[in-house]
Amino acid sequence: MSNSHSDTIPLHPSSQSDIDEIENLINASVQSGPATVLPARPPSPPRASIPVSSTPFIQSQIPPPPPPSSSSNQKVPSVTAAPPPPPPSAGNSSSIAATGFGPAPNTLTEPVWDTVKRDLSRIVSNLKLVVFPNPYREDPGKALRDWDLWGPFFFIVFLGLTLSWSASVKKSEVFAVAFALLAAGAVILTLNVLLLGGHIIFFQSLSLLGYCLFPLDIGALICMLKDNVILKMVVVGVTLAWSSWAAYPFMSSAVNPRRKALALYPVFLMYVSVGFLIIAIN
């Protein structure tokens, strides 16, 4: 029995038009060539390359350790500790103290004779700076930077002992009056300089006034040995001028130039009183 219908079924006209349109699009894309695809993000900038040395490792100058010995009983040599440094000697300590570095030397355990020699050398040095001509007399700071009170105390006691030895009666009273006059006078003169606005240390001023008594000590000693009134007056006059000359630069430079007379007049008055005692008692 023959089949009156064919094997293919005709499409709907709208479906046939869609297929034709798809074929036309495919043919057009094939003819126009492959489309360029834009990148998803802009390319990153080129990175700097790190130079690589041709010799990656530096050869060490330390020789390699020796290979371990086959014997396991070999002991490692022990390292000896360094000996402690030697203690500083007396010469080194004195040089360190002289330069101003390091701790001050301990004077509590030194012999008494060393202490006496050091004090005597300081007294002689300060005495030369005060009562003898030298380039540092115009500057009290340079003259007695290392002031002391042993020298003034010795000169006051020596003058009191000389006057009491020359006195015929009441020797202890003469010594007490002379010592009180000199000690209290030095303190009062120092306070007078400070009240006048003087730029000087209290004990430094006491030391200066005490050292200036050295010429009067010499005059008292000469007057005790020679019993001559005219000679006594000449000696006291010379030693009085010497003491005033020694005290003048220190007292005058410590105060205002307008108040110089107020600082020097009491000093001169005290030395005149001491000279009068030397003439009267001897």
Side-chain angles (χ1 to χ4, degrees), residues 30 34 48 53 80 92 113-114 124 156 164 175 187 202 239 245 279:
V30 172
S53 176
T80 59
N92 295 335
W113 178 239
D114 293 343
V124 172
I156 291 176
S164 64
F175 175 80
V187 174
F202 180 81
T239 55
W245 172 83
I279 296 176

Side-chain angles (χ1 to χ4, degrees), residues 233-265:
M233 294 180 64
V234 172
V235 170
V236 170
V238 172
T239 55
L240 179 61
W242 187 3
S243 297
S244 302
W245 172 83
Y248 174 78
F250 303 109
M251 295 293 106
S252 60
S253 61
V255 298
N256 193 333
R258 297 180 179 179
R259 302 176 178 178
K260 185 184 299 185
L262 295 176
L264 293 176
Y265 174 73

Side-chain angles (χ1 to χ4, degrees), residues 154-163 182 213 216-217 220 274 278:
F154 173 77
F155 296 139
I156 291 176
V157 171
F158 180 82
L159 185 56
L161 290 175
T162 304
L163 295 178
L182 296 174
L213 291 175
L216 292 174
D217 288 351
V274 175
I278 294 174

Side-chain angles (χ1 to χ4, degrees), residues 100-125:
F101 298 96
N106 186 11
T107 59
L108 296 177
T109 57
E110 69 177 0
V112 179
W113 178 239
D114 293 343
T115 305
V116 173
K117 288 193 300 182
R118 185 178 67 253
D119 293 338
L120 288 177
S121 63
R122 180 186 299 177
I123 291 174
V124 172
S125 176

Side-chain angles (χ1 to χ4, degrees), residues 10-86:
L11 298 174
H12 194 271
S14 61
S15 300
Q16 185 64 37
S17 61
D18 293 337
I19 293 173
D20 294 338
E21 186 177 359
I22 291 171
E23 290 179 353
N24 293 333
L25 290 174
I26 293 172
N27 293 331
S29 62
V30 172
Q31 292 178 1
S32 62
T36 58
V37 180
L38 295 176
R41 60 180 180 178
S44 59
R47 300 180 180 178
S49 60
I50 301 175
V52 180
S53 176
S54 59
T55 57
F57 301 102
I58 300 176
Q59 296 181 357
S60 175
Q61 301 295 333
I62 302 175
S69 177
S70 58
S71 60
S72 59
N73 297 329
Q74 184 178 4
K75 296 182 179 179
V76 179
S78 59
V79 179
T80 59

Side-chain angles (χ1 to χ4, degrees), residues 87-173:
S89 60
N92 295 335
S93 61
S94 61
S95 62
I96 291 175
T99 55
F101 298 96
N106 186 11
T107 59
L108 296 177
T109 57
E110 69 177 0
V112 179
W113 178 239
D114 293 343
T115 305
V116 173
K117 288 193 300 182
R118 185 178 67 253
D119 293 338
L120 288 177
S121 63
R122 180 186 299 177
I123 291 174
V124 172
S125 176
N126 290 338
L127 184 63
K128 291 179 181 179
L129 293 174
V130 174
V131 299
F132 295 105
N134 59 84
Y136 299 108
R137 291 187 70 254
E138 301 299 330
D139 189 353
K142 291 182 179 179
L144 274 190
R145 195 178 304 275
D146 190 16
W147 55 266
D148 69 290
L149 297 179
W150 284 112
F153 177 77
F154 173 77
F155 296 139
I156 291 176
V157 171
F158 180 82
L159 185 56
L161 290 175
T162 304
L163 295 178
S164 64
W165 184 268
S166 302
S168 57
V169 293
K170 298 180 180 181
K171 297 180 181 294
S172 60
E173 294 181 3

